[in-house]
Amino acid sequence: KIKTNKPVTEAEIDNLEKLLFDGEERGTKEDFTKECDQSLGVFIRSIFGLETEAVQAAFATFLHQASLTPNQITFIDTLISYLTVNGTINKRLLFESPPFNDMHDQGAFGIFEDDQVRTMIGVVDMINENAEVG
């Protein structure tokens, strides 16, 4: 579920923790929490990423809502590629960091209308939240 962008339940995370943390060789959940400042779901996503089809499906409505310019399509393709590899994204990257500000120094705000940015951020929020327990 984590790799396919499906919401994860508390029981599923509990089962995963039982598999991962043995209290001996593989350590405990507390050991993980001390060493890693992310949730288990986000950590797993950072290793395995997301399936491309899952990310494309998440953005499908956004892509078909309006006629997008070539730069806007390139931006979304870049975002889909990033999420496929990394699993989640810090939203600030969409405005402040390469490759998202390569086409415009304001990133998404320089390429999309404000309402399009809000819609895109909504999709990103949903993807990021699905890596957490829901």
Side-chain angles (χ1 to χ4, degrees):
K1 282 182 149 182
I2 293 172
K3 189 160 174 61
T4 59
N5 195 40
K6 304 255 187 310
V8 182
T9 67
E10 185 80 38
E12 290 167 329
I13 289 293
D14 287 344
N15 286 334
L16 187 56
E17 288 172 354
K18 288 175 187 171
L19 288 171
L20 293 175
F21 308 122
D22 65 358
E24 295 172 15
E25 181 181 345
R26 294 187 309 263
T28 64
K29 180 180 177 183
E30 290 74 27
D31 295 334
F32 171 79
T33 304
K34 280 188 229 173
E35 295 296 322
C36 189
D37 63 347
Q38 333 176 283
S39 71
L40 184 57
V42 172
F43 177 73
I44 291 170
R45 279 252 192 107
S46 73
I47 295 170
F48 294 105
L50 277 168
E51 290 182 1
T52 303
E53 297 80 18
V55 184
Q56 289 171 335
F59 280 99
T61 302
F62 177 80
L63 289 168
H64 297 301
Q65 274 183 337
S67 297
L68 299 177
T69 68
N71 280 348
Q72 290 172 328
I73 292 169
T74 299
F75 188 95
I76 295 297
D77 286 344
T78 302
L79 178 54
I80 288 171
S81 294
Y82 184 95
L83 287 165
T84 299
V85 171
N86 298 289
T88 60
I89 187 168
N90 181 320
K91 294 178 284 191
R92 285 194 323 243
L93 296 177
L94 300 174
F95 310 100
E96 301 173 356
S97 300
F100 301 105
N101 66 354
D102 287 348
M103 288 183 277
H104 194 283
D105 63 346
Q106 293 180 354
F109 280 128
I111 297 171
F112 294 95
E113 298 294 324
D114 289 350
D115 62 325
Q116 291 174 310
V117 172
R118 281 190 293 280
T119 301
M120 180 177 36
I121 292 299
V123 174
V124 167
D125 283 341
M126 179 269 301
I127 290 170
N128 286 346
E129 288 166 7
N130 282 347
E132 303 286 346
V133 173

